[in-house]
Amino acid sequence: MATPTTSDSPGHKLPAYTAMQQHWGLVRDVRGGTETLRDKKSTYLPKFEAEDARDWDTRVKMTFAYDAVDQTIGAMLGLAFMSEPELGDDVPEPIVTDWENIDGEGTHGTVFATQVLDSALQDGHCLILTDYPPAPTDLSLAAQMALELRAYLVRVMIDQVVSWRVMTLGGRRILGQVVIKQVGEVPAGAFGATQQTEYRVFRQSFDEAGTPEVLWERWTELENQTIQTGKGVIRGPKFIPLAVAFGGQRTGFLESTPPLLGLANSNIDHTQVKSDRRFSMHKCAIPVPVFIGRDKGPSGDSLVSMSSSRGIDINIGGDAKILEPQGTALAALREEILDIEKRMGDQGLAMVLPQDGASRTATEVQFTRTRQESKLARAVRSLQDALEASFGFMAGYYGLEDGGSLVLRRDFTALTLSDSDQTFLTSARERGDLTLATFLEFMRLKGGLFERLDPEAEVKAVAEEMGAEDMGLSGGVEDVAGALTVAAPADQTLILNGAQIASAREIVSAVAAGELPRDTGLNMLEAFFRMTPAQAARVMASAGTTTPTTPNPRPGLDDPTQRGA
């Protein structure tokens, strides 16, 4: 078969692909770190006009890149997946089972979702292909399960989609054609392997009855030509089973801009300036000996061996000096490095707070926080939509009506609480304006507590640790837990903080000692702690119904030895 022309070849790249490539290529290079920037020294560490090859090579080897982009992406992933995705009750059982190994290669769904979001934040967007092994089209779901046939998800990087077309159906734009490049290994000889490039083409079509269907083709590069090695109709899904998760600004149907492009440029700026400063420091740190009137001898050799045990002959009238650069520009370079680092701190989530302690107004802090949260929240929402769409394609392969839903956490407010916010919440808790369960939930979301901590269970554990006797209750731990958390028909759950528990304990102790009538103690509990009569009786337990007990002496009051003169 003859080699197709450029526009007829499945490997033909759209202009939009080339335009995006320079952006994601730069972010990938920066994320590649020191070695990548050194390998591409002509681009990122160019040779100075008067610099010879040896000095250029030395300067490049003395250059080390700071991993600001990688740290920022890692921080965003940590925030997005502090809570694992929650599959909805409407997700069919086969897909729930597949979630444990979503790509057929042992990857859990949460890990796969993290990988997709990682690529989307790096490149601008990432795609998910829902695939299925070749199989007869008339197999029932039970037959598929019996043959261990299953749908699986494939992460498709932005550079793998070399071309695409959009069509309009029912007033909405859908993917009409897409070409995905895949590079794999095929056996070569008895033990070797060689790379082989294939192109998978998906086309939206319609059968004779007008029902949507998807046609597929497989093209393989062999020597100097690309030939078609397979074609057919996809069984199950009626539309091209490809979903998109946007991590950056969407600029077209399958076009986007990396969200950390600005940070990547600042990272390169930082690397270049730091490289210049380090090389300049190297030059300034080595004094240069200067000789005036020295006899170089018959060989004319200008090299001089110097040490504390060797002398140097200088002709009469000559001189020897040390030329030491002042390095006045080093301070300016350091200031520029600090300025760039501050700019990177503003651009990256990993270094969101200013390092110089500069004050900001509440409006500035809230605006910055909201902007960063919204950027990450949009990316997470897009990922959730892409996964749900992929579930729908999986359901199509299984002959099911719907793939169900899942929830990814997008509320990062609690994770970005300022110190003043935390102080306010703590004070509210101490005043009793915030229940212990709610306070613990805030702390859990912020990451200050274990992710799987159950606030209600923790309340009971706290009650158990305090002990029943300290509360003056006779019913054991159950009474303490009941006193801490008591549900009443017309009242919300009652949860007392530490100070309130201490005050309630004093009232119960006074009633038990006969210092207060039982009715008075019950009224005090109801008035002071907003308890219902049932709650107050639960806390009071049997105090005041038996022989009064003698309370322990209170230092400074009841104990004569502790009273002041």
Side-chain angles (χ1 to χ4, degrees):
M1 169 177 182
T3 303
T5 60
T6 302
S7 60
D8 291 329
S9 170
H12 174 65
K13 298 177 180 177
L14 294 182
Y17 177 99
T18 306
M20 290 188 295
Q21 186 175 20
Q22 61 179 334
H23 293 154
W24 84 61
L26 185 146
V27 177
R28 289 184 180 186
D29 287 345
V30 172
R31 200 176 181 192
T34 299
E35 295 304 322
T36 301
L37 298 186
R38 287 179 179 176
D39 291 342
K40 298 183 177 183
K41 60 182 181 180
S42 297
T43 301
Y44 300 112
L45 299 167
K47 181 176 176 291
F48 297 147
E49 183 177 353
E51 190 176 33
D52 60 33
R54 186 176 63 178
D55 282 349
W56 182 29
D57 184 65
T58 300
R59 178 166 60 87
V60 170
K61 291 180 178 178
M62 294 175 63
T63 299
F64 295 88
Y66 177 54
D67 57 346
V69 171
D70 192 59
Q71 282 195 28
T72 301
I73 292 179
M76 287 187 174
L77 294 177
L79 293 177
F81 291 97
M82 283 193 71
S83 299
E84 291 193 3
E86 297 179 6
L87 300 185
D89 295 335
D90 54 349
V91 177
E93 186 60 32
I95 299 179
V96 173
T97 301
D98 291 342
W99 182 252
E100 298 297 319
N101 178 17
I102 198 65
D103 62 353
E105 297 180 0
T107 305
H108 189 274
T110 300
V111 178
F112 180 84
T114 305
Q115 294 170 348
V116 173
L117 183 59
D118 184 304
S119 300
L121 293 174
Q122 171 186 270
D123 299 329
H125 69 265
C126 183
L127 304 95
I128 303 175
L129 173 67
T130 307
D131 212 347
Y132 197 89
T137 59
D138 56 350
L139 285 180
S140 65
L141 179 57
Q144 296 177 50
M145 298 295 105
L147 294 174
E148 296 185 354
L149 299 176
R150 51 153 295 182
Y152 56 93
L153 303 186
V154 180
R155 179 176 57 150
V156 178
M157 305 291 285
I158 190 173
D159 57 335
Q160 293 182 252
V161 182
V162 296
S163 67
W164 58 92
R165 290 180 180 175
V166 182
M167 63 183 296
T168 302
L169 179 64
R172 64 189 184 97
R173 301 176 72 206
I174 66 171
L175 190 60
Q177 176 178 301
V178 65
V179 180
I180 301 174
K181 179 181 178 180
Q182 295 180 325
V183 179
E185 289 188 346
V186 295
F191 305 102
T194 184
Q195 286 191 336
Q196 185 175 79
T197 301
E198 291 186 339
Y199 298 94
R200 299 186 64 182
V201 182
F202 298 92
R203 290 192 177 94
Q204 187 64 53
S205 184
F206 301 88
D207 62 15
E208 296 179 354
T211 303
E213 64 178 7
V214 181
L215 307 180
W216 65 268
E217 299 173 5
R218 186 183 299 274
W219 295 71
T220 305
E221 286 187 0
L222 298 174
E223 297 180 354
N224 296 324
Q225 61 181 1
T226 304
I227 63 173
Q228 188 180 103
T229 53
K231 64 178 182 178
V233 180
I234 287 183
R235 60 175 304 276
K238 302 302 180 183
F239 300 94
I240 297 176
L242 192 67
V244 189
F246 285 93
Q249 181 65 40
R250 178 176 177 175
T251 58
F253 195 84
L254 287 184
E255 301 174 47
S256 64
T257 302
L260 299 177
L261 181 60
L263 177 59
N265 280 310
S266 296
N267 210 152
I268 293 173
D269 193 9
H270 181 272
T271 302
Q272 291 174 339
V273 175
K274 191 173 181 180
S275 174
D276 293 346
R277 185 173 188 273
R278 173 165 290 182
F279 193 65
S280 298
M281 289 177 62
H282 172 70
K283 291 292 187 181
C284 293
I286 302 178
V288 179
V290 177
F291 301 100
I292 302 173
R294 182 178 66 86
D295 186 2
K296 298 181 180 179
S299 63
D301 188 4
S302 60
L303 295 178
V304 178
S305 297
M306 300 177 61
S307 72
S308 59
S309 59
R310 295 174 65 99
I312 301 175
D313 291 332
I314 298 178
N315 294 334
I316 298 175
D319 196 3
K321 300 180 179 181
I322 294 293
L323 180 63
E324 184 177 5
Q326 294 184 352
T328 54
L330 294 178
L333 287 174
R334 174 173 171 76
E335 288 298 322
E336 185 174 2
I337 290 173
L338 294 176
D339 289 343
I340 296 173
E341 289 177 351
K342 185 178 184 302
R343 183 168 74 243
M344 288 194 298
D346 292 336
Q347 293 171 323
L349 183 60
M351 298 175 289
V352 64
L353 296 178
Q355 301 300 310
D356 56 1
S359 60
R360 296 186 181 185
T361 66
T363 302
E364 289 175 328
V365 172
Q366 183 62 34
F367 175 77
T368 302
R369 180 190 307 169
T370 301
R371 179 180 58 188
Q372 291 167 343
E373 286 173 356
S374 62
K375 179 185 293 185
L376 179 57
R378 286 196 302 267
V380 173
R381 175 68 208 201
S382 182
L383 173 63
Q384 177 176 315
D385 292 342
L387 289 171
E388 290 180 341
S390 300
F391 283 4
F393 293 133
M394 294 176 75
Y397 281 117
Y398 293 144
L400 303 173
E401 290 295 328
D402 185 57
S405 60
L406 81 164
V407 175
L408 289 174
R409 179 195 174 141
R410 303 195 309 276
D411 180 12
F412 305 110
T413 303
L415 298 174
T416 55
L417 290 175
S418 65
D419 291 341
S420 60
D421 292 334
Q422 294 183 58
T423 301
F424 172 79
L425 290 173
T426 302
S427 298
R429 170 67 195 131
E430 292 176 349
R431 293 193 306 269
D433 296 337
L434 198 65
T435 66
L436 177 59
T438 301
F439 180 77
L440 291 175
E441 179 65 13
F442 266 108
M443 296 304 296
R444 185 185 68 82
L445 293 177
K446 184 173 175 59
L449 298 172
F450 293 113
E451 170 61 27
R452 299 186 180 277
L453 180 139
D454 183 350
E456 297 296 339
E458 188 67 14
V459 169
K460 287 195 173 185
V462 170
E464 183 175 354
E465 186 174 287
M466 289 179 60
E469 294 183 0
D470 288 342
M471 283 291 295
L473 300 176
S474 59
V477 174
E478 291 75 9
D479 273 350
V480 179
L484 286 169
T485 308
V486 182
D491 196 5
Q492 60 182 346
T493 298
L494 169 69
I495 300 180
L496 303 181
N497 60 33
Q500 291 173 321
I501 290 174
S503 299
R505 184 191 302 122
E506 289 187 4
I507 295 175
V508 173
S509 298
V511 171
E515 298 176 357
L516 286 175
R518 178 179 173 85
D519 290 344
T520 301
L522 291 173
N523 291 334
M524 292 175 68
L525 291 176
E526 294 175 23
F528 296 164
F529 307 109
R530 302 177 184 178
M531 295 183 186
T532 65
Q535 291 172 332
R538 184 85 176 272
V539 172
M540 188 65 69
S542 61
T545 62
T546 59
T547 303
T549 60
T550 302
N552 294 326
R554 290 171 293 179
L557 295 177
D558 299 330
D559 188 351
T561 62
Q562 299 295 324
R563 294 177 183 174

